[in-house]
Amino acid sequence: MSPVSGMVEELDGFRSWADVARAARRKLRRQRTEDWRTLSWKKIQRDVRRLQQRIYQAERRGDWKRARSIERLLLHSWSGRCLAVRQVTQDNRGKRTPGVDGVAKLTPSQRLKLARRLCHLTEWEAAPIRRVYIPKPGSTEKRGLGIPVMADRAMQALVKLALEPEWEAEFEANSYGFRPGRCVHDAIEAVFNTICLKPKYVLDADIEKCFDRIDHEALMSKLDATRPVARLVRAWLKAGIVDQGETLYPEAGTPQVWGSTFSVFTSGNTG
């Protein structure tokens, strides 16, 4: 049988070229490696970094339509979803902390399954947050930490990957809190360079209960995200907190989330 006749027989069961395209996409998904350990993480990180750079550059140019288009591309990309899952299941400090569903870790096949689930942004349902208390250093008080379920942490990491370059283009150059590639030593260096030649006053202040008093509507207004992302963020804010068996629905504040990458991002945006 010739290659042409074989191709004709293979396409004979399809009604249109759209059916052919859908079948090809399904075949590619089946052929995608099922082994989490064999994924090319250097390529995945390079792809995500390239998209983030394009978002940053579009935002700096004032091309907001282009920036939002690339954000949607990153949110639906396989590389972005895999990297988000890796961050919350393997890299983050609180990776083994369970949420209300009791899931503390995922197998490689479960990580792949979660990465595939992350493409359903418009259908995502936020789960309540489990609250635990840890002692405050140098105080008898305890600090409440919120722990989302593993799936929500992965989706939050994915949203952060898309929103972070947009806001990096807007932040002040002398802002150091909750920003990638910056730490407290950078802030100390900036203060030293400012006062080393001439005595000046330095104000040292702490925002009391910063996370507990963030206004939800003010945060949503300032975030100004696309509709699917805005719906997700609002759902996380209103999902409720399970505290000693009781579910609370606070009108303000964002939980200090152990193992999450998104709560500090929202705090930085309201600063």
Side-chain angles (χ1 to χ4, degrees):
M1 183 175 62
S2 67
V4 175
S5 61
M7 184 180 299
V8 171
E9 289 184 6
E10 187 177 349
L11 298 177
D12 193 37
F14 299 105
R15 296 182 178 180
S16 66
W17 285 108
D19 292 339
V20 175
R22 282 193 289 269
R25 286 196 294 269
R26 286 196 296 269
K27 186 175 181 181
L28 284 174
R29 283 197 293 268
R30 287 196 299 269
Q31 289 177 346
R32 180 175 286 155
T33 176
E34 295 295 326
D35 190 352
W36 180 263
R37 301 178 188 87
T38 63
L39 293 177
S40 176
W41 290 108
K42 287 185 178 180
K43 181 181 182 300
I44 286 174
Q45 291 171 338
R46 186 168 61 249
D47 291 344
V48 172
R49 172 63 67 180
R50 187 182 299 116
L51 289 173
Q52 288 182 318
Q53 288 173 344
R54 291 174 61 191
I55 295 171
Y56 178 85
Q57 291 164 359
E59 192 70 25
R60 294 288 290 179
R61 293 194 307 266
D63 191 352
W64 298 288
K65 185 176 180 180
R66 182 66 174 167
R68 295 294 173 83
S69 176
I70 304 172
E71 282 178 14
R72 286 192 291 269
L73 181 61
L74 176 52
L75 287 168
H76 289 89
S77 69
W78 176 247
S79 295
R81 287 180 279 147
C82 285
L83 187 60
V85 172
R86 178 186 171 110
Q87 285 180 358
V88 301
T89 61
Q90 295 178 267
D91 298 342
N92 285 1
R93 187 179 175 187
K95 59 187 177 184
R96 294 295 177 87
T97 313
V100 293
D101 59 356
V103 177
K105 62 180 181 179
L106 300 179
T107 63
S109 61
Q110 289 173 330
R111 293 170 195 156
L112 279 172
K113 185 177 180 180
L114 177 56
R116 295 190 182 101
R117 280 184 57 201
L118 294 183
C119 66
H120 305 296
L121 272 75
T122 57
E123 303 169 8
W124 195 267
E125 296 293 335
I129 294 171
R130 182 171 73 93
R131 172 166 284 175
V132 297
Y133 292 91
I134 62 172
K136 276 188 176 181
S139 173
T140 58
E141 297 182 9
K142 291 188 176 182
R143 175 186 290 118
L145 295 178
I147 306 173
V149 297
M150 190 79 70
D152 274 339
R153 297 209 296 262
M155 181 62 83
Q156 290 173 9
L158 178 60
V159 170
K160 180 174 177 284
L161 287 174
L163 293 184
E164 196 169 58
E166 173 189 344
W167 282 94
E168 278 297 306
E170 302 291 336
F171 284 150
E172 296 288 342
N174 61 348
S175 171
Y176 297 93
F178 309 125
R179 295 184 62 182
R182 299 193 177 199
C183 64
V184 64
H185 298 290
D186 297 314
I188 293 172
E189 181 182 5
V191 172
F192 175 80
N193 292 335
T194 302
I195 67 174
C196 64
L197 299 178
K198 182 179 180 181
K200 294 182 181 180
Y201 288 101
V202 177
L203 175 63
D204 181 16
D206 181 30
I207 303 176
E208 185 179 3
K209 296 184 177 181
C210 169
F211 286 91
D212 297 336
R213 296 177 179 175
I214 294 177
D215 184 87
H216 291 175
E217 295 306 320
L219 174 60
M220 295 303 303
S221 175
K222 191 165 186 180
L223 194 62
D224 191 28
T226 58
R227 186 174 298 177
V229 172
R231 189 194 71 84
L232 278 173
V233 175
R234 187 177 295 276
W236 288 325
L237 292 174
K238 304 296 184 182
I241 302 172
V242 178
D243 188 354
Q244 298 178 356
E246 182 180 0
T247 304
L248 309 174
Y249 297 93
E251 296 297 325
T254 62
Q256 297 185 59
V257 178
W258 182 258
S260 172
T261 56
F262 196 74
S263 60
V264 293
F265 175 70
T266 55
S267 176
N269 282 346
T270 54

